[in-house]
Amino acid sequence: MSVLTQRLNRLRCTYSVLLRLYDKGSYVQQMIASSERGFSNHLTCTSYIYHVARKPHQRREFAVLSTDQQVDRQRTPNGSEKPKSQKKTENEYAHSFFLNSVNYSMTVMKPIRTYSHVTNEEALGLLKQNWSLMTSEEILSAIKKLSYNICCNKDDCISPIKYINAFNTLDIEKLNDNDLMAIMRYLVPFQSFLNHGFYNSFCERLDKECVKRFVQLNINEMLLLCDVMYQIMRYKKSEYIWYCMRKLGNKPQKLTSKQLVQVLFFLNLCRKTPINMYELEYQLERCINELSINELAIAALGFFKTGTRIRNIIFLEEIMKKTIAELDAIDSVSIGGITKLIRYSMQLQTIPTFQKLLKLLPQYVPRFTLMSLIHIVHAAAKVALYDEDLINEIIKRFNNEIETARLKDIERLIFSLSTFNIDPNNSIYSNVIEELRATWDTSRAHEISEHPQVASCILGYLAILNIYPTDLIERVMAPSYLHKICKGNYIELSREYSVLDYSLRLEVPEYNGPFLKSSLCSFLDKKYFKEYSHGPESSRRKRLSTDVLQTCQELFNTTSDISVIRLLPHYATPDIVFCLDEQNQLVPSEKYLSQFPSSDIIHVNEKAPENVRWIALVMAPHGLLIRNNNLPTGLLAAKLRQLPIIGYTPIMISYILWEKCTSPQEKCDYIKELVFRTNEKLSNK
């Protein structure tokens, strides 16, 4: 062994010993040596019997610390072992990251690793006492022993009902600050009681007591107590955490980079932020180089979960570039968190950088969880940015793991594939349909009952691709199923119901199942689709439609009988519609088109003029064309497919080709070429 290697080994040993001394040896240390200190990645696990003398009237307490954590493994096809995937929520992942990082040791409460064995009989004896008469010292001792009992007897635990009297009569107001904080440390094992009303009431009292006493702590103490409250209450809203975040978030310049990450983690728990998030964004941008990619991902979730977009485009690009640079180090949960924020904050200027990120991701597909991959493809679909290699890899992965995929994951994937207009003959669609059929009343029954809207959206996205599993559609169109979703309040229905209803009428004439009521169709039309006509004049879609309309009016030298109208009520973007005879002359059409209500499909029927061609110029603005190949997205392709069914000849006006026409004459020539050539072809048939 070389001298250099020997010295490095000594340094690693010295470092682990220092860590033990730093934390007073009260729990297992698992630390990865920091590359900044020049150490190679090295996992240090210590285990020893620890004992400590307590107060004279109490006995000595002993605990044996486990040597390491057991990881179940399974064999891969080639005979090697790999860890079984253990699903962690984003919050669990973030908190676990804090626990295992030395950078957060002062602001995170480590799990209790030292406890004595307390039998159920001894615990029941404590619970039978009158807790309202106990002294502070007796309360602390009792809570500690009950906590030890829960830790020791997880397989034979006492019924939570036995704790009701004790927690209801426990007077926390008479405890001094030190005793109250000490008790809170031992309350963490009781989090399994969170589904019981008595424990929730106790947590609320404890939370309010902390607000009264501990809002003037220093930053580290405040973050530590917030962490304790999180471990006690988990996903219950904490008033104390909310007040602390309001105080700390209003002066982010006083926070270190690590403290800022923790603040954003707690804001994630609050959901509704009590502060101006732009100040935190500015501070996070300043310290981005001090954070690892996984810390940045935890911070990103703080923005996403509070519904806050990244306003600074340069900062958003920096996040993407840092992700690209550290793809080898990023965790699966982290890539999911970052791509969710990217999707939520995406601007047109940042798309090229995002495209570079997508190009690099196919090789990492095996390393990320299916849920994270769905977040990635969902972000790509948001801006219609298609990467064939990535999509193909994700489809393969999804086909292999479809049985374990959440219903929400299926919905997001089908939405993305419908956006990219992926071939309806792809096996992924039949696999999804068969999975839903096989599990609707069995393994997914509870999931569908909890999220009925999600299942209906899946079928709505399939309809965009001209895929209609009518047996499943009949289920979601049934009045009883609609009631599950909205319970009489139809504002909860998604726009996919409108797409599904109208598409069935057009493309599945043999369908005999239930449809939506006409009044409900009108309501959905007003809610989701009529808003477009009242949008801002400066929008790109509006400008394209207005420009094409003016060109058509100049071409035909008239402002009448050229209508801007929605022929299909389940598409928001209106079309420019006119009628031509065999000599390419305009035929009056406004009167005929105006007789239909806005929620009706405008068919060309026997009342329409004869021996004419109905032309529909379909706008293809930004967002309705796939960016890599300029082909129509699924929604636009469905519209082009359905217009001929009701008697119109659709002609797509691509914004890309339109913007190449620099003069009014070029635009007139472009429209003339498209319209008259199409009309001549139809006349010759």
Side-chain angles (χ1 to χ4, degrees), residues 275-283 303 308 311-312:
I275 58 173
N276 179 7
M277 292 292 287
Y278 183 69
E279 296 294 331
L280 293 183
E281 177 188 328
Y282 174 73
Q283 195 66 21
F303 285 92
T308 307
R311 301 184 195 178
N312 189 336

Side-chain angles (χ1 to χ4, degrees), residues 117-130:
H117 183 74
V118 178
T119 64
N120 284 348
E121 290 74 17
E122 188 177 354
L124 287 170
L126 290 170
L127 292 172
K128 290 177 182 178
Q129 296 180 22
N130 188 344

Side-chain angles (χ1 to χ4, degrees), residues 474-484 486 490 514-515 517:
E474 287 180 10
R475 286 176 177 262
V476 302
M477 296 293 282
S480 58
Y481 194 89
L482 294 177
H483 182 72
K484 281 184 184 179
C486 55
Y490 290 120
F515 288 94
K517 294 180 180 179

Side-chain angles (χ1 to χ4, degrees), residues 348 532 535-551 564 573-574 576 619-622 653 655 658-659 667:
L348 286 175
Y532 175 86
E537 290 290 330
S538 60
S539 71
R540 294 190 176 200
R541 294 186 181 191
K542 195 81 172 183
R543 286 205 306 269
L544 176 62
S545 181
T546 302
D547 204 10
V548 173
L549 176 62
Q550 290 175 349
T551 302
V564 179
T573 309
I576 296 174
M619 301 301 106
H622 288 270
I653 306 296
Y655 81 93
W658 185 256
E659 289 178 355
K667 292 177 180 178

